[in-house]
Amino acid sequence: MPDRHTDVLIVGGGLGGVAAAIAAVQGGARVILIEGDRWLGGQLTAQAVPPDEHPWSEQFGITASYRALRNGIRRYYRTHYPLTHAARSTPHLNPGGGLVSPLCHEPRVAKAVIDEMLAPLRGSGRLEVLQPYRAVAVETAGDEVRSVTVTSDLRGIRANECGTEATVTISASYVIDATELGDLLPLAQVEYVTGFESRRTTGEPSAPEEAQPLNMQAVSWCFALEHVDGDHTIDRPRTYDYWRAARPDMWPGPLLGFSWPDPRTLEAAHGWLSPNPEDDPLSVVADQSKNPGTLDLWRFRRIAARRLFEPGIYASDITIINWPMIDYLEGPVFEVPDAEAAAHRQGARELSRSALYWMQTEAPRPDGGTGFPGLRLRPDVMGTDDGLAQDLYVRESRRILALETVTENDISLAVRGDAGATSYSDSVGIGMYRIDLHPSTGGDTYIDVASTPFQIPLGALLPVRVRNLLPACKNIGTTHITNGAYRLHPVEWNVGEAAGALAAFSCATGEPPQAVREKADLLSDFQALLSRRGVELAWPNVRAY
């Protein structure tokens, strides 16, 4: 017998899981949210990746609740941080002045705002957050999930918050998989795919002739750095010589270096490192991170620009290292034996530490010298002991076999042209990003394809068979190719919000999600509900990029 029952069980506390929890509770459901021993917020917090967003995010094209998250981050800075007068009065405050996003910020600020957003829901008793737990088993009956068993290592840093036994079985009317890797899909025997699909299956111009299920995008273990006086060189990593000699076939030089393939042209692109620049415009240059030529790596993903704060508060800028040199290509971290997956995760950590050691000791400086010994890890910013992020940044997941699969032919500018992306009558949201695929474990280089502003079809959230499990992360019905556009922060949030709202709607109406898509009156009612929530279902007339 299950130990607990709830209306909606959400496994995974990344951006999609958080958005699902908010929408489901606000839709009237009782919710249990499960997450491991890391901050809620996934790629935005525990994985330390500032938000990758489209250029219209300040005006439109994101959900109202995602905008509340963004606004909350800026409000948190204005309330708690000693900003300069000019920074405080800037409507679109970018605390890091980073190039990759108009809102580069410290991960713990996003964590704090997420906690604020969830606090009234938890206080009402309608949302319970269990940490640190992970799913280990799923009971099914026919085409439905009956229960999920989760277990906790009670030695975890949040063990005292659990207040429950080490293993708990939870039954629910609806289960949402918001894990970073689609962990529930194999446990629940949900049909899914991984890696590259074949061109004969999807018809995509960028797909290979044969399927390559273990050929997946690189993962990266991010970290935060400052540059201060003194020598802060870390111990030489055990595998440093291996990584120093590494030169992937598609790379223009050593992996540990300031050159990489330009994602669009595949010609050599170059960057430079100049910590704490004095001639700093503190402004975002639109899409500079993707332009051919050279890249200011220090400003690329900077999350704290010292000149935006009162003098003396920050001894240095703080920047996130999520650069091409830490893309780990040696093998996938799921769909392989546990020991192999663990070895690849450890390999990604070793690569990141080797990249840091190379920067501290051998990297070329603008003054003609070598090495930046003043680079210092910021474990406090990451919320860890060793200075690396709490979790690995993963760019793709297991993906459900869905009633509707979005392919390159649905969103590619080259394919769609002036017609725009495929229009879906069952739209549950919108998104926009280039099809942006990093080099992969099978030896493929970047795939970077211009896309058109797209919709999120409800059918992409519905498995072909299982009736009461919904995806809420990178595990929706996309392909390896289109995941490159749908994997970014605001789209993941929109997917999770739609999944949570759908689960609550199905609880309230007694109609399964498949019926909501099939019956015109139910679909109309559900889309009206989403619109009232501030979820945009269609794009205005905007240009592709």
Side-chain angles (χ1 to χ4, degrees), residues 226-262:
E226 63 181 357
H227 189 266
V228 293
D229 292 338
D231 187 342
H232 303 282
T233 305
I234 64 172
D235 293 338
R236 183 185 179 96
R238 178 181 56 84
T239 56
Y240 180 67
D241 289 341
Y242 175 83
W243 292 113
R244 186 176 184 274
R247 181 168 180 165
D249 291 342
M250 77 287 288
W251 232 253
L255 180 62
L256 299 186
F258 293 154
S259 297
W260 59 90
D262 182 271

Side-chain angles (χ1 to χ4, degrees), residues 401-481:
L401 281 180
L403 294 181
E404 182 78 54
T405 299
V406 180
T407 73
E408 182 180 1
N409 298 321
D410 293 311
I411 68 172
S412 164
L413 177 61
V415 174
R416 302 295 303 177
D418 292 339
T422 296
S423 178
Y424 297 102
S425 61
D426 64 343
S427 173
V428 293
I430 59 176
M432 178 59 190
Y433 208 76
R434 291 180 68 89
I435 295 174
D436 175 17
L437 298 174
H438 281 234
S440 62
T441 57
D444 292 276
T445 189
Y446 289 93
I447 297 175
D448 190 283
V449 177
S451 60
T452 60
F454 52 78
Q455 293 174 305
I456 305 166
L458 176 57
L461 275 65
L462 302 180
V464 293
R465 180 181 58 83
V466 177
R467 307 286 289 175
N468 68 333
L469 182 144
L470 299 170
C473 200
K474 303 176 184 72
N475 51 351
I476 65 171
T478 57
T479 65
H480 175 84
I481 304 296

Side-chain angles (χ1 to χ4, degrees), residues 138-489:
V138 173
E139 179 189 2
T140 61
D143 296 339
E144 293 192 351
V145 173
R146 288 289 180 85
S147 65
V148 178
T149 299
V150 299
T151 190
S152 175
D153 178 355
L154 295 183
R155 294 168 296 180
I157 61 174
R158 298 185 178 86
N160 292 334
E161 297 180 15
C162 298
T164 57
E165 57 269 38
T167 299
V168 184
T169 298
I170 305 168
S171 63
S173 300
Y174 290 93
V175 175
I176 293 177
D177 184 347
T179 61
E180 297 297 325
L181 301 178
D183 294 340
L184 290 190
L185 304 186
L187 293 175
Q189 301 177 49
V190 177
E191 292 79 2
Y192 67 91
V193 294
T194 64
F196 275 98
E197 295 92 342
S198 70
R199 188 176 303 168
R200 70 168 60 93
T201 298
T202 67
E204 296 173 304
S206 300
E209 291 298 328
E210 301 294 332
Q212 301 170 13
L214 293 181
N215 190 1
M216 305 178 194
Q217 285 189 80
V219 296
S220 301
W221 217 303
C222 305
F223 53 97
L225 289 178
E226 63 181 357
H227 189 266
V228 293
D229 292 338
D231 187 342
H232 303 282
T233 305
I234 64 172
D235 293 338
R236 183 185 179 96
R238 178 181 56 84
T239 56
Y240 180 67
D241 289 341
Y242 175 83
W243 292 113
R244 186 176 184 274
R247 181 168 180 165
D249 291 342
M250 77 287 288
W251 232 253
L255 180 62
L256 299 186
F258 293 154
S259 297
W260 59 90
D262 182 271
R264 297 187 186 180
T265 68
L266 302 183
E267 299 296 325
H270 308 283
W272 77 93
L273 183 60
S274 182
N276 299 325
E278 292 300 327
D279 56 340
D280 188 349
L282 294 175
S283 63
V284 173
V285 179
D287 205 27
Q288 178 173 335
S289 65
K290 295 293 185 179
N291 286 344
T294 61
L295 178 65
D296 182 345
L297 291 168
W298 184 257
R299 293 179 59 216
F300 182 36
R301 291 186 181 270
R302 186 175 55 184
I303 58 172
R306 71 196 188 287
R307 291 173 56 202
L308 292 176
F309 302 87
E310 292 179 359
I313 299 300
Y314 282 82
S316 167
D317 297 344
I318 303 172
T319 196
I320 292 291
I321 310 306
N322 179 16
W323 304 342
M325 72 167 73
I326 69 165
D327 275 7
Y328 180 84
L329 302 168
E330 302 288 294
V333 296
F334 61 97
E335 294 296 292
V336 294
D338 290 347
E340 184 177 344
H344 287 314
R345 289 177 66 88
Q346 181 60 30
R349 297 178 69 88
E350 287 290 315
L351 171 57
S352 290
R353 291 186 62 81
S354 294
L356 170 57
Y357 186 78
W358 177 82
M359 286 188 281
Q360 292 173 323
T361 60
E362 298 191 62
R365 299 197 306 260
D367 64 6
T370 56
F372 296 84
L375 292 174
R376 182 168 66 178
L377 286 166
R378 288 294 303 266
D380 55 326
V381 171
M382 295 290 94
T384 62
D385 293 332
D386 64 4
L388 300 186
Q390 295 179 14
D391 202 6
L392 186 66
Y393 176 39
V394 293
R395 296 180 173 90
E396 68 178 281
S397 167
R398 301 174 179 93
R399 302 179 298 277
I400 64 166
L401 281 180
L403 294 181
E404 182 78 54
T405 299
V406 180
T407 73
E408 182 180 1
N409 298 321
D410 293 311
I411 68 172
S412 164
L413 177 61
V415 174
R416 302 295 303 177
D418 292 339
T422 296
S423 178
Y424 297 102
S425 61
D426 64 343
S427 173
V428 293
I430 59 176
M432 178 59 190
Y433 208 76
R434 291 180 68 89
I435 295 174
D436 175 17
L437 298 174
H438 281 234
S440 62
T441 57
D444 292 276
T445 189
Y446 289 93
I447 297 175
D448 190 283
V449 177
S451 60
T452 60
F454 52 78
Q455 293 174 305
I456 305 166
L458 176 57
L461 275 65
L462 302 180
V464 293
R465 180 181 58 83
V466 177
R467 307 286 289 175
N468 68 333
L469 182 144
L470 299 170
C473 200
K474 303 176 184 72
N475 51 351
I476 65 171
T478 57
T479 65
H480 175 84
I481 304 296
T482 53
N483 167 70
Y486 278 73
R487 65 182 172 84
L488 287 311
H489 303 66

Side-chain angles (χ1 to χ4, degrees), residues 4-175:
R4 308 281 296 280
H5 178 78
T6 189
D7 296 328
V8 180
L9 172 63
I10 303 171
V11 181
L15 286 176
V18 169
I22 293 170
V25 172
Q26 292 177 345
R30 292 189 175 274
V31 177
I32 294 177
L33 173 64
I34 303 295
E35 181 51 283
D37 193 11
R38 51 188 172 261
W39 290 338
L40 297 176
Q43 60 178 316
L44 190 63
T45 58
Q47 297 173 28
V49 179
D52 291 294
E53 299 173 338
H54 59 70
W56 310 289
S57 296
E58 303 289 2
Q59 293 82 38
F60 53 82
I62 58 178
T63 76
S65 61
Y66 184 78
R67 188 172 302 284
L69 171 64
R70 298 174 89 254
N71 291 343
I73 290 169
R74 286 174 169 148
R75 173 188 48 77
Y76 193 95
Y77 273 96
R78 293 189 176 102
T79 301
H80 298 289
Y81 281 67
L83 297 163
T84 65
H85 175 74
R88 187 177 302 278
S89 60
T90 300
H92 297 157
L93 172 65
N94 186 356
L99 302 176
V100 76
S101 169
L103 186 57
C104 290
H105 54 82
E106 296 178 41
R108 68 169 62 253
V109 174
K111 185 260 187 191
V113 174
I114 286 170
D115 286 345
E116 286 182 353
M117 296 175 77
L118 295 181
L121 310 182
R122 300 177 76 169
S124 73
R126 300 192 69 85
L127 171 64
E128 184 176 3
V129 180
L130 296 182
Q131 288 183 276
Y133 280 87
R134 61 184 176 87
V136 293
V138 173
E139 179 189 2
T140 61
D143 296 339
E144 293 192 351
V145 173
R146 288 289 180 85
S147 65
V148 178
T149 299
V150 299
T151 190
S152 175
D153 178 355
L154 295 183
R155 294 168 296 180
I157 61 174
R158 298 185 178 86
N160 292 334
E161 297 180 15
C162 298
T164 57
E165 57 269 38
T167 299
V168 184
T169 298
I170 305 168
S171 63
S173 300
Y174 290 93
V175 175

